[in-house]
Amino acid sequence: MPGAAPVFLPMNGAGQRAHDRSRSREVVPAPAPIERIVEAQSRGDWESVTQLLEQHWSSLLRTSRAAMREVVNALPDAVLEAKSRWSAARQYLNFAPDDGRVRRVRFDFEAAQPNEAGELIDDLAQFTGQTAHERGQGHFRGAAAFAATAIEAVNGASPAEVRTLRPLLPGLRVQWATSLLFAGDIRAALTEFESAYDDAVAFDSDRMATAAAGSIALVHSLTGDFVLARSWLRRQPTALNGGLGGPGGGDGGPGDAVTVMGVLAAANIAIDELNVEEARAWLAKDPGDEVAPEQWALRLGVASRLEVLRGDPLAQSLRNRAAIRARPAHLSEDGLNGCALRFSDVGIRLALKDARGAAESLAALEAGDSELHRQAALIAHVWRLVRAGEHVQAVAVMESVPAGGRSLRVGMELLAAATVIHMRAGATARAAALFRTLTTMVAEQGFNGVLMRFGDAEYEALCLSSGVQLNAHQVRRALIAELHTDAPAVEPEIKLTARERVVLRHLLQSRKLNDIATLEHVSPNTVKTQLRSLFKKLGVSSRDDAIKVGRGNPGLWSDSGL
């Protein structure tokens, strides 16, 4: 265990002297690998410990499993954080403890039954360690490849091997499914998460059941099947997250790495229900980057949707920018991370009326090759065309998508877009019919968020012509009122230099002149000069007025990577 004293080889004084005398008469055998590992552990040489463990992993599993378990349990947190492989190794050696923290081994494999799995267990441990490590490095496709190899090995196992493996499978399957999900393969991920949930329930692993059910709920919240998403949230063990008591249930504090996916799913659903306060409450239970670092892009995506809904996308765009730049580029370029970041960025830029930035983010989103990328890009592309009044092109894009290839979210978004197009074309009866169909789906799924796509006058006219009055009517009206802005408009030909855009971004973050100078490694006088030039171009005389102009005209200060 982390706090346990290391195991030392016994050696008293007399034994040491006898050992020294015998060395001159005979060849001393080289220390066994486990002896070398324990000796390195006693010195605190964790680099040597991990190198020896990797080098002799398979043989140690057969000869020194108990000692090996003690050593891996003693690895300090810094080692576990530096290489995800050791967290997976600890989980494996303890026979899948639910939360990754050291505790009493709950399933003594050798004592319980003969080992019918042979080398398969060791292979699966190796694959699982590799998939966790690759995912931690942002190599999502590599992680998915290792996960697929492990799944294939289990699928090809004999019945006797499967019986032996089943107590270990909940934790392993969650790792594999998570890698598939982050690589963007949502169908395969759902299959594995569902298997993990079934195994976890069979072996009374509440935490793994919670992790699997929460992840499944998140996937369904992304694709718009909110009925299924809520169903899976209800299947989480209630003791862990407040269950049906909502975000205020349980102990009221933040969750942990096991509950994070369910928390983000619940927040995502609340946003689509237009329930701002509940979404905030769920996000307050998100454990954050320190506890659940892999979900950093997902939480930014959910938070971005909330800020667009409540009318403050600018602040979130700056937070996103800082979070992305603080991480290696490959962590935000691929898989689920890239999809979440780019889709949220399109939404932010559209809300800020930044047409150029929206086009750049949309192009990056369309370059992704996962199903999630394709569906998110389709929604963003259609609404960008509708907002630009390019209705013929929008219809062409919608008609290019087969009905069978649409998720529920895509279906409702396209139905809303078609309603707007018919309304603007003067086809009032057809628009009303489409609106009635849409609102029926909205009522079934609780997807009130799609109603925010309509302009206020359009929405009121559709309600009148269709005879539909939704429960979300007043909530939508209140949110629409908050989204109106009186920011001053500027002439489109105004062009700021790169340095002026940087200074304006600092002003938008409420930074003082000296702070800007320090951060940009220039003198305060240089910043003063840039401010004077900026104010002159914007036609203002104070930083407060410059901030107002900047908030209303993000195209002035945005650039690639916002």
Side-chain angles (χ1 to χ4, degrees), residues 242-257:
L244 296 178
D251 59 8
D256 59 19

Side-chain angles (χ1 to χ4, degrees), residues 24-309:
S24 63
R25 296 192 299 270
E26 61 185 20
V27 177
V28 178
I34 192 61
E35 294 174 342
R36 295 164 59 195
I37 290 170
V38 172
E39 195 276 329
Q41 177 190 355
S42 70
R43 301 195 311 269
D45 184 359
W46 298 108
E47 183 176 358
S48 294
V49 168
T50 54
Q51 287 177 351
L52 288 167
L53 282 170
E54 285 193 336
Q55 182 181 354
H56 300 284
W57 178 267
S58 296
S59 63
L60 289 170
L61 286 171
R62 293 171 176 77
T63 63
S64 310
R65 186 182 293 261
M68 187 181 182
R69 181 187 297 128
E70 291 184 12
V71 171
V72 172
N73 282 341
L75 291 173
D77 290 342
V79 174
L80 300 177
E81 293 168 358
K83 195 169 184 181
S84 302
R85 189 250 191 281
W86 296 115
S87 293
R90 174 183 285 186
Q91 182 181 31
Y92 164 66
L93 288 169
N94 287 334
F95 294 102
D98 294 4
D99 56 4
R101 295 178 298 200
V102 177
R103 64 180 179 80
R104 181 175 297 177
V105 177
R106 71 169 182 208
F107 181 78
D108 190 340
F109 182 83
E110 292 91 341
Q113 60 186 12
N115 187 344
E116 299 289 349
E119 297 182 359
L120 179 56
I121 293 178
D122 298 337
D123 290 340
L124 295 179
Q126 183 71 16
F127 295 144
T128 304
Q130 289 169 319
T131 192
H133 176 70
E134 290 292 301
R135 195 172 68 244
Q137 298 300 310
H139 305 149
F140 302 120
R141 292 182 182 176
F146 281 119
T149 302
I151 294 166
E152 185 179 356
V154 172
N155 290 341
S158 68
E161 288 176 321
V162 172
R163 283 194 301 272
T164 295
L165 289 170
R166 282 202 70 194
L168 311 180
L169 284 177
L172 298 178
R173 286 193 189 279
V174 166
Q175 286 285 344
W176 306 337
T178 301
S179 292
L180 293 168
L181 177 59
F182 273 78
D185 192 348
I186 58 174
R187 296 179 188 274
L190 280 175
T191 298
E192 274 311 297
F193 277 127
E194 288 169 3
S195 296
Y197 182 84
D198 290 342
D199 287 334
V201 170
F203 285 90
D204 198 26
S205 177
D206 282 352
R207 292 183 63 81
M208 289 301 102
T210 295
S215 298
I216 295 169
L218 179 64
V219 172
H220 288 308
S221 78
L222 294 174
T223 60
D225 195 334
F226 303 115
V227 171
L228 263 181
R230 295 186 192 95
S231 171
W232 278 100
L233 286 177
R234 287 193 293 269
R235 294 172 72 175
Q236 295 180 109
T238 56
L240 297 176
N241 64 356
L244 296 178
D251 59 8
D256 59 19
V258 172
T259 63
V260 61
M261 298 294 264
V263 165
L264 293 176
N268 214 28
I269 293 170
I271 291 167
D272 281 313
E273 291 174 336
L274 302 184
N275 194 330
V276 171
E277 292 308 315
E278 184 173 324
R280 283 176 175 165
W282 278 116
L283 286 177
K285 291 182 74 67
D286 171 23
D289 287 354
E290 290 188 6
V291 176
E294 283 191 308
Q295 289 79 10
W296 70 278
L298 287 175
R299 60 174 54 92
L300 285 180
V302 175
S304 296
R305 297 187 68 229
L306 178 59
E307 294 308 319
V308 167
L309 179 63

